[in-house]
Amino acid sequence: MSLILILEQILNGLQFGVMLFLMAAGLTLVFGVMGLINLAHGALYMVGAFAAAAVAGLTGSFVLALIASLAAAAAAGALVEVTVIRRLYDRDHLDQVLATFALILIFSEGTRWIFGSFPLFLDVPDYLSGPVTLPGGIKYPLYRLAIIVIGLVVGAGLFWLIARTRIGIQIRAGEADREMIAALGVDISKLYTLVFALGAALAGLAGALVGAIQSVQVGMGEPVLILAFVVIVIGGIGSIKGALVGALLVGLTDTLGGIFLPRLFTLMMEPAQAASLGASLASMLIYILMAAVLLVRPSGLFGGSA
Amino acid sequence: MGRERLFNLAVILALLAVPLLALALDEPFVITLATKVAILALAGVGLNIALGLGGLVSLGHAAFFGIGGYAMGILAAHAQNYEPLFSWPFLFEGSNQMPLIWLVAVLASAAAALVIGALSLRTSGVYFIMITLAFGQMLYYFAISWSAYGGEDGLSIWVRNEMPGLNTLIPIQFFGVCFALLCGALLFSARLAGSGFGLALSAARQTEERVETVGLQPFKLRLVAFVISGAITGLAGALFADLNRFVSPTMLSWHTSGEIMIFVILGGVGRLYGPVVGAAVYILLEHLLGGISEYWQIFLGLLLLGMVLFARGGLIGALLGREVAHD
């Protein structure tokens, strides 16, 4: 096991973590501001990926595909917010879970209806394909590096938006006291639609970026959704900073665990047994991490009171 | 209460009458459907104890359903292949006897519910939902990577397991077994709701502080309810695997958790017979709409959405009104 391999895996973990952050940021914003648990967030990720694959297929442009993913997911998010989600803000979590689960069924089957059951493929553009040599002699796929950079840039933009802009102030005020900012003349329902569409756009972008590495298919958003839940539970629901830290923790733990646990077990037992036990345990690692965090801090690393 | 009791009686008699009628008309497939309804309703009755009575929105009950299924799969697979499951402290070769399988399924899912519950109940609200979901998913991925028992492909058994005194290969007899267990669980559930424990649990759902003030511990009440709930759902999982003679990670997936929750909600949360009505309607829709369109789940989604937004008492609530003392 060489240092280069370890560094490569750390980069992979970072890339995975950054993608998770794009997903988790929307979820945690929507929960923090509107108090809504949105299971359909993964469906918006899927919408982004499909929109990107369709536009890339028509135009051949990857940049247009990414723009389409943002636009389609934001539009789908805004539509869903206006028609369904806004009726759920005052309901209990059970109703929110059910209604958004129903939305998953509608989105998944609707997408299957339009695009069929076969996966679509979104190609990495030429100018981003192939490996790049990093300082230290590590060869790493350029596209994955680009994902890390895009993710970090978007993340930084989000922090700036929340911390420095007027919209950000309104969003934070909405988290703290929704009646008060409504009384101060902010159109709260427009703000909610905006926040929801923003979260959706981030999820859609993540879907498109990951769609170029994996295949674009119905149901692709659900495993990511559940990981994003793990992320925000670890980070503390409602906290963007928590989402970032949680996402990187989960991304790194999952990637490094999957590679190194089987190897670690090989030191202690025979290879076949070690491989299967290592793989089983590695698949559970992030949940064990989550349980450990909860034992120490039931409301997550950066959460207030649950 | 009179009207609801009458309605409940009608529901359970209908569930009994349909397969008997199918037997007379020689329609074995309908008997299988009715068996499926009884089993899924049983899973829902389990969830309803946590959800309806305890107010615990668990999105991870597939874990217990799947553990029950795997208990059946593992015991039966060892018995059919003559490979001992373990040889210490005594030789155990697996089993194809339903009562023993059920016992193992109930104990294993109760143990899992104890661990998951003890961790998840430290939190509440939306955290609880996400954490139960995550633990369910953890077991799902574990099952996928557990190559000794089929991994992603799951486990098949050749012959349905045996029940002393019955021939479970005959559909109506297996239906009878499942129906009897469902009735048992419904009776148990009704007794539980009316018992001191059930009342305290309901009170903890409504106003936690008052329950604490009189010296009861909501955490303990909820944990016990969660364990009972998981155990019943686990039993249903063992039966479901036996019905299909197959168990796979799909039983553990979070879609299964969502579906079990849908059974409870379609019927009406906190209604004793809600899961029976919900499971029956779900299976009926699956077969009616599934025959019309491959994409029937769109309609299921729309129906569910409409139900949540506009008819909150579920089907029983829509039929009978909100007369039950639920919140």
Side-chain angles (χ1 to χ4, degrees):
Chain A
M1 197 185 310
S2 63
L3 186 66
I4 289 192
L5 177 74
I6 297 179
L7 287 175
E8 239 177 56
Q9 293 307 327
I10 289 178
L11 282 174
N12 279 343
L14 213 58
Q15 179 252 310
F16 188 34
V18 161
M19 283 301 93
L20 284 177
F21 170 67
L22 289 185
M23 272 297 273
L27 270 181
T28 206
L29 259 185
V30 166
F31 186 81
V33 179
M34 287 97 103
L36 177 100
I37 171 170
N38 178 22
L39 297 182
H41 205 63
L44 299 164
Y45 174 91
M46 179 185 71
V47 165
F50 271 92
V55 167
L58 284 177
T59 64
S61 159
F62 190 70
V63 174
L64 281 182
L66 287 188
I67 294 172
S69 75
L70 283 166
L79 181 72
V80 164
E81 201 275 342
V82 171
T83 52
V84 178
I85 300 287
R86 74 170 42 165
R87 294 169 208 272
L88 296 170
Y89 295 141
D90 299 331
R91 301 289 190 86
D92 57 18
H93 292 315
L94 178 61
D95 284 354
Q96 298 175 348
V97 163
L98 287 164
T100 51
F101 189 80
L103 285 176
I104 292 182
L105 295 178
I106 296 168
F107 267 106
S108 290
E109 291 303 304
T111 310
R112 206 193 302 277
W113 203 355
I114 299 170
F115 290 96
S117 300
F118 292 104
L120 301 181
F121 292 96
L122 180 62
D123 291 325
V124 175
D126 288 337
Y127 52 87
L128 285 178
S129 57
V132 60
T133 310
L134 296 178
I138 310 164
K139 276 197 181 349
Y140 195 72
L142 178 59
Y143 183 70
R144 284 178 184 266
L145 202 64
I147 289 188
I148 298 179
V149 173
I150 295 175
L152 290 178
V153 168
V154 172
L158 193 62
F159 275 106
W160 173 78
L161 181 83
I162 301 285
R164 292 273 180 269
T165 64
R166 193 162 185 83
I167 293 280
I169 293 172
Q170 291 178 352
I171 290 175
R172 279 181 290 141
E175 266 177 76
D177 192 335
R178 96 169 64 163
E179 279 80 17
M180 185 55 85
I181 75 157
L184 290 174
V186 175
D187 185 345
I188 194 93
S189 71
K190 206 182 274 175
L191 181 69
Y192 283 1
T193 311
L194 189 76
V195 169
F196 199 85
L198 175 67
L202 292 178
L205 177 66
L209 289 173
V210 172
I213 305 181
Q214 299 162 357
S215 60
V216 175
Q217 56 188 339
V218 173
M220 65 186 284
E222 291 167 16
V224 191
L225 170 80
I226 290 159
L227 288 180
F229 277 146
V230 173
V231 164
I232 64 176
V233 165
I234 289 177
I237 301 175
S239 159
I240 300 266
K241 203 195 321 170
L244 181 62
V245 172
L248 294 179
L249 261 178
V250 168
L252 287 170
T253 308
D254 194 53
T255 310
L256 298 181
I259 299 291
F260 295 120
L261 262 189
R263 287 172 188 243
L264 194 67
F265 283 157
T266 330
L267 302 176
M268 293 180 276
M269 53 185 86
E270 49 184 300
Q273 209 185 349
S276 92
L277 188 65
S280 306
L281 205 63
S283 68
M284 297 166 68
L285 210 54
I286 52 167
Y287 303 101
I288 297 170
L289 173 74
M290 179 187 79
V293 169
L294 284 175
L295 278 177
V296 186
R297 291 184 66 100
S299 53
L301 294 176
F302 294 90
S305 54
Chain B
M1 280 303 275
R3 228 150 53 100
E4 180 159 352
R5 246 190 211 172
L6 218 60
F7 177 81
N8 290 347
L9 195 66
V11 166
I12 206 79
L13 285 179
L15 181 57
L16 183 61
V18 167
L20 289 177
L21 203 65
L23 184 68
L25 297 172
D26 196 25
E27 293 272 4
F29 182 61
V30 176
I31 302 179
T32 304
L33 284 186
T35 313
K36 207 169 163 185
V37 170
I39 295 171
L40 296 178
L42 180 63
V45 169
L47 177 62
N48 209 9
I49 291 176
L51 185 65
L53 213 52
L56 306 171
V57 184
S58 161
L59 202 45
H61 259 53
F64 314 124
F65 196 62
I67 285 173
Y70 270 94
M72 179 313 272
I74 290 170
L75 288 176
H78 278 282
Q80 85 181 8
N81 298 332
Y82 301 103
E83 291 165 359
L85 189 58
F86 54 81
S87 51
W88 190 89
F90 56 91
L91 183 72
F92 184 62
E93 297 196 306
S95 174
N96 61 356
Q97 295 299 312
M98 283 189 186
L100 182 64
I101 289 174
W102 296 344
L103 183 69
V104 173
V106 164
L107 289 179
S109 41
L114 184 66
V115 175
I116 294 178
L119 284 168
S120 314
L121 285 168
R122 291 169 55 85
T123 63
S124 61
V126 71
Y127 275 92
F128 183 80
I129 299 174
M130 292 184 190
I131 290 160
T132 48
L133 173 63
F135 278 123
Q137 218 47 23
M138 171 175 105
L139 289 173
Y140 171 72
Y141 285 115
F142 178 75
I144 283 185
S145 61
W146 201 15
S147 50
Y149 292 109
E152 205 163 349
D153 299 328
L155 263 179
S156 292
I157 57 163
W158 318 132
V159 190
R160 186 167 290 150
N161 294 301
E162 292 167 8
M163 179 79 193
L166 290 175
N167 181 356
T168 52
L169 297 179
I170 300 173
I172 193 75
Q173 296 210 9
F174 184 57
F175 171 79
V177 169
C178 299
F179 185 75
L181 285 173
L182 173 64
C183 289
L186 284 168
L187 284 177
F188 172 77
S189 192
R191 290 292 293 273
L192 191 75
S195 69
F197 170 78
L199 294 176
L201 185 63
S202 265
R205 183 191 73 225
Q206 286 157 6
T207 31
E208 186 166 344
E209 291 79 5
R210 285 193 193 165
V211 175
E212 272 175 348
T213 321
V214 296
L216 294 167
Q217 290 174 294
F219 178 84
K220 274 192 186 164
L221 293 169
R222 289 183 181 134
L223 188 57
V224 172
F226 196 73
V227 169
I228 295 172
S229 166
I232 294 176
T233 304
L235 177 63
L239 291 171
F240 191 72
D242 232 331
L243 174 70
N244 301 322
R245 286 179 285 113
F246 177 62
V247 52
S248 75
T250 314
M251 275 181 78
L252 289 159
S253 84
W254 77 293
H255 264 265
T256 307
S257 295
E259 278 169 14
I260 300 175
M261 195 179 267
I262 291 176
F263 306 146
V264 175
I265 305 303
L266 271 184
V269 195
R271 305 268 184 170
L272 184 58
Y273 281 65
V276 185
V277 175
V281 168
Y282 185 88
I283 295 295
L284 216 63
L285 281 178
E286 184 175 9
H287 280 268
L288 292 180
L289 294 176
I292 301 170
S293 163
E294 202 184 323
Y295 310 104
W296 72 279
Q297 291 210 332
I298 291 187
F299 302 106
L300 177 70
L302 288 172
L303 178 76
L304 186 62
L305 201 55
M307 193 128 242
V308 174
L309 293 181
F310 306 113
R312 301 181 63 190
L315 286 174
I316 300 183
L319 287 172
L320 299 179
R322 293 178 67 95
E323 62 179 319
V324 142
H326 170 242
D327 294 302

